[in-house]
Amino acid sequence: MKQILIVLGGGRARGNTAQLAEAFRRGAEEAGHRVETVSLVKEEVKGCLGCNACRYGKPCVQKDAFNSLIPKIQGADLVVFASPLYFWTVSARLKAFIERFYCMAEEDPNPPFGRYEKYPVKDCALLMTAADNFFWTFEQAVSYYRFALVRYIGFRDRGMVLAGGCGDTNGRPRIQETDHLETAYRFGLTVYGRDGE
Ligand SMILES: Cc1cc2nc3c(=O)[nH]c(=O)nc-3n(C[C@H](O)[C@H](O)[C@H](O)COP(=O)(O)O)c2cc1C
């Protein structure tokens, strides 16, 4: 049994992204995992100020929801980043949440090439929805995920569901007309094998 934290980086309350995250959750719970979903619309997290107070042993100076999310991140085996595609990348809400990982960094006396500090090591996954469905639609978002979360912060990628063709936000969510919900459900079901690996 794994502890899974889904961070929903915006989108409409019952929109494509919320439905995609819910399908993943259903699968993961059916597989026996414990899942908590946090919505960054309800739990507002601002971007990092770069004041560096956290680098001098102080808690983050920003008194928003992030401080209460730290124990949830630390307690999770898997953090699932879920976001609509906004201007070809993750939403500003999700980006702000990721920036705040800065205050969780620890000194690393021997960092790997291109990294300066170490972060809690977790598994991660990416769930995204978009209106378009071209081969380049998710390119920037995936590049950011791979570069910042996996390569830099050091998360271990468990996979992604990139749900293109879900319709724009000028109409009702259309993800039910695609097979992405089934894919996300199956991903949740199988994100860990029977032996938990
Ligand atoms: C501010 C904004 C920017 C968007 N940018 C893109 C984009 O760059 N590419 C795209 O394919 N869809 C874009 N969309 C459409 C959404 O990604 C798509 O409708 C998504 O499924 C909405 O998620 P939701 O139903 O969870 O709100 C944008 C929507 C909004 C509101």
Side-chain angles (χ1 to χ4, degrees), residues 8 10-20 83-89 128-134 137-138 163-175:
L8 196 50
R12 295 170 288 178
R14 301 189 55 74
N16 297 315
T17 319
Q19 291 184 49
L20 193 68
S83 173
L85 188 75
Y86 282 174
F87 291 92
W88 313 108
T89 190
M128 293 201 68
T129 70
D132 281 357
N133 198 17
F134 299 113
T137 295
F138 293 100
C166 292
D168 62 34
T169 47
N170 200 25
R172 62 183 173 76
R174 306 195 74 134
I175 198 165

